[in-house]
Amino acid sequence: MEILKIESAYGLTTTITTQRPVGAHTYKINCRQFQTVHRDWQRHNAAQGLALGVMTLDYERIWMTTAEVEQVAAAIQSIRSPLTLDFGKGQP
């Protein structure tokens, strides 16, 4: 799978994951780019609890919590698209 479609009940474009705007949002990301950014994030930022930022195909930067990153990584591995994020607003 090359492209993953993420459907979310809240916006992911803010770095403050606890203050996300509510509403239906859809994002498409390149799976290979996500995996590259994910590996680097795991080495340097995951332990600090920082959100992972990744660019969408529409040139928006989206920010994901550790729990959301795990869901995206699992969806890519299982070739499951679209992915619907089922966490509460900004919940880690």
Side-chain angles (χ1 to χ4, degrees), residues 1 4 29-32 34-35 71-80:
M1 173 174 58
L4 176 68
I29 61 171
N30 180 291
C31 295
R32 290 181 187 175
F34 173 85
Q35 290 171 322
Q71 273 192 304
V72 170
I76 290 171
Q77 293 236 341
S78 69
I79 311 172
R80 187 178 77 231

Side-chain angles (χ1 to χ4, degrees), residues 2-78:
E2 192 69 28
I3 304 298
L4 176 68
K5 181 178 178 183
I6 300 172
E7 297 171 345
S8 178
Y10 46 87
L12 301 176
T13 57
T14 180
T15 58
I16 305 170
T17 59
T18 57
Q19 297 179 3
R20 292 174 164 169
V22 177
H25 298 279
T26 302
Y27 307 98
K28 292 180 182 175
I29 61 171
N30 180 291
C31 295
R32 290 181 187 175
Q33 182 210 16
F34 173 85
Q35 290 171 322
T36 300
V37 173
H38 181 229
R39 277 191 297 271
D40 187 54
W41 175 80
Q42 283 180 311
R43 285 187 213 129
H44 304 287
N45 299 319
Q48 299 171 15
L50 299 175
L52 169 70
V54 67
M55 191 66 72
T56 69
L57 296 182
D58 291 330
Y59 300 104
E60 293 180 285
R61 182 162 305 275
I62 59 173
W63 300 90
M64 293 178 266
T65 64
T66 300
E68 293 162 347
V69 169
E70 290 172 7
Q71 273 192 304
V72 170
I76 290 171
Q77 293 236 341
S78 69

